[in-house]
Amino acid sequence: PPSLHRRALFHTAMKKAILAAALALPIADAFAPSPLSGAMPGLRAASTRGASTVSWNMMARRPFIAGNWKMNPETLDDAIILAKEIAKSSMTATAQVAICAPFPYLWSVGNEFKGSNVELGAQSIYFEDKGAYTGAVSACMVKSVGTTHVLCGHSERRTIFHNDDNSVNKKVLKVLRNGLTPMLCIGESQNEYEEGLVKAICATQMSKDLKEVTKAEMMEITIAYEPVWAIGTGLTCAPDEAQKVHEFIRSHIAKMYDQETADAVRILYGGSVTGETVDELMKRADIDGCLVGGASLQAASFGRIMNFNP
């Protein structure tokens, strides 16, 4: 009915206006359409910078390919076999490579990565060092078993385990204070995407999740853009459209810090990356790598992604 349609439009308009006010964004920017549905007045068009600029960016920001095994594989023996195969494939990779493995496998998998080009990552931590927090794992614990990277704010931690921006911010700060590298995951849900809130959601998450992070610390952080609607759904985000969002993310980092910091931060794309899609993604100027889910559980597929053709 027309009345219901008007109410839905009003709800969306109010949500955008509130986000714009919170971020001090121009109202017109907040109402720009999704970058995946056409032109975005609030975002610059897909980068027109030439191949030489892309090459310079790759030299300035070393490509980073990270795998997230999530709650896989089912046994330690399977994890060790997979780690051995990935370690072997990594020897020809020029990109920085990391695998974020489940907590019980970190020590054993880390041993398989010794002497290879693969670094060890954890999928999350709790923001306290120790205490009566049954089932929780601290940053100092994962550091003690050889971890160097930690995912913070992955979409599944936000949605399934209800990690809000305040807790994600505490995790980011705790990871940094322990001398580890946070990989901050940001991105919009399908509903937010359909409402044209891509830009506002990414900006809001960064502003809240990076609270109290200094410029020097920011240069150590990796950002991973995850269009949640494109993870395991069969829907895809075209490379040029992903580039638009990455370009906006970099511009927002420049607003929060400065251009030098924005130019130094690596921004990874994480949305059902495969061996068939990685080459085109990695040709984009502001896509510095990939956060890989399902394909990281297949040694051949992840090997192809690690050894992408720039």
Side-chain angles (χ1 to χ4, degrees):
S3 60
L4 291 177
H5 179 65
R6 284 195 297 271
R7 283 200 294 271
L9 290 176
F10 176 76
H11 172 75
T12 298
M14 289 299 297
K15 187 173 181 181
K16 292 181 180 182
I18 291 168
L19 283 167
L23 293 167
L25 291 172
I27 292 293
D29 271 7
F31 281 80
S34 165
L36 306 178
S37 61
M40 291 188 67
L43 289 181
R44 288 172 286 179
S47 178
T48 57
R49 289 174 285 182
S52 61
T53 304
V54 176
S55 298
W56 184 89
N57 282 340
M58 286 300 184
M59 291 173 62
R61 297 188 297 268
R62 184 185 178 194
F64 188 9
I65 304 295
N68 176 19
W69 286 357
K70 306 188 180 185
M71 199 171 73
N72 298 290
E74 293 185 23
T75 69
L76 177 59
D77 288 344
D78 289 339
I80 289 174
I81 291 170
L82 179 58
K84 286 179 183 289
E85 295 174 343
I86 288 176
K88 183 178 179 180
S89 297
S90 77
M91 301 309 289
T92 54
T94 57
Q96 183 178 5
V97 179
I99 288 290
C100 297
F103 294 131
Y105 303 158
L106 286 174
W107 176 259
S108 299
V109 165
N111 284 333
E112 298 303 327
F113 291 154
K114 289 179 180 178
S116 74
N117 291 329
V118 186
E119 299 167 12
L120 190 62
Q123 297 176 12
S124 185
I125 53 96
Y126 189 55
F127 48 76
E128 297 291 349
D129 290 326
K130 61 181 181 179
Y133 306 105
T134 302
V137 175
S138 68
C140 53
M141 288 177 179
V142 298
K143 182 179 180 179
S144 71
V145 295
T147 295
T148 54
H149 304 273
V150 180
L151 294 177
C152 299
H154 188 278
S155 60
E156 289 153 5
R157 299 301 307 181
R158 293 179 188 264
T159 57
I160 299 172
F161 299 98
H162 309 295
N163 285 186
D164 60 17
D165 287 309
N166 181 56
S167 65
V168 173
N169 175 240
K170 290 180 179 180
K171 291 183 181 188
V172 168
L173 294 173
K174 182 60 68 173
V175 170
L176 286 167
R177 304 304 187 256
N178 277 270
L180 302 173
T181 303
M183 188 180 299
L184 174 61
C185 302
I186 63 172
E188 76 286 352
S189 68
Q190 185 167 356
N191 286 340
E192 291 162 344
Y193 157 65
E194 291 173 349
E195 292 179 359
L197 296 171
V198 176
K199 179 180 180 181
I201 293 299
C202 289
T204 299
Q205 290 176 338
M206 283 191 288
S207 297
K208 292 181 176 181
D209 300 346
L210 296 171
K211 183 180 178 181
E212 297 183 13
V213 172
T214 68
K215 172 180 175 175
E217 290 172 331
M218 186 63 215
M219 289 188 172
E220 300 299 318
I221 292 175
T222 301
I223 301 291
Y225 167 61
E226 301 180 286
V228 180
W229 51 270
I231 300 175
T233 62
L235 300 173
T236 59
C237 179
D240 284 343
E241 306 306 332
Q243 161 61 24
K244 292 179 186 179
V245 182
H246 281 235
E247 191 173 8
F248 165 70
I249 291 170
R250 198 174 305 284
S251 73
H252 191 71
I253 295 171
K255 288 180 182 178
M256 292 178 64
Y257 295 92
D258 54 34
Q259 193 61 49
E260 178 187 26
T261 305
D263 288 340
V265 172
R266 291 181 294 183
I267 306 172
L268 314 187
Y269 172 76
S272 300
V273 179
T274 67
E276 289 71 40
T277 61
V278 65
D279 293 346
E280 286 302 313
L281 286 166
M282 293 303 295
K283 289 177 182 177
R284 273 49 185 186
D286 291 292
I287 298 180
D288 303 311
C290 298
L291 177 58
V292 185
S296 68
L297 294 169
Q298 304 169 35
S301 295
F302 193 64
R304 172 66 182 85
I305 295 169
M306 281 189 287
N307 292 277
F308 66 92
N309 294 315

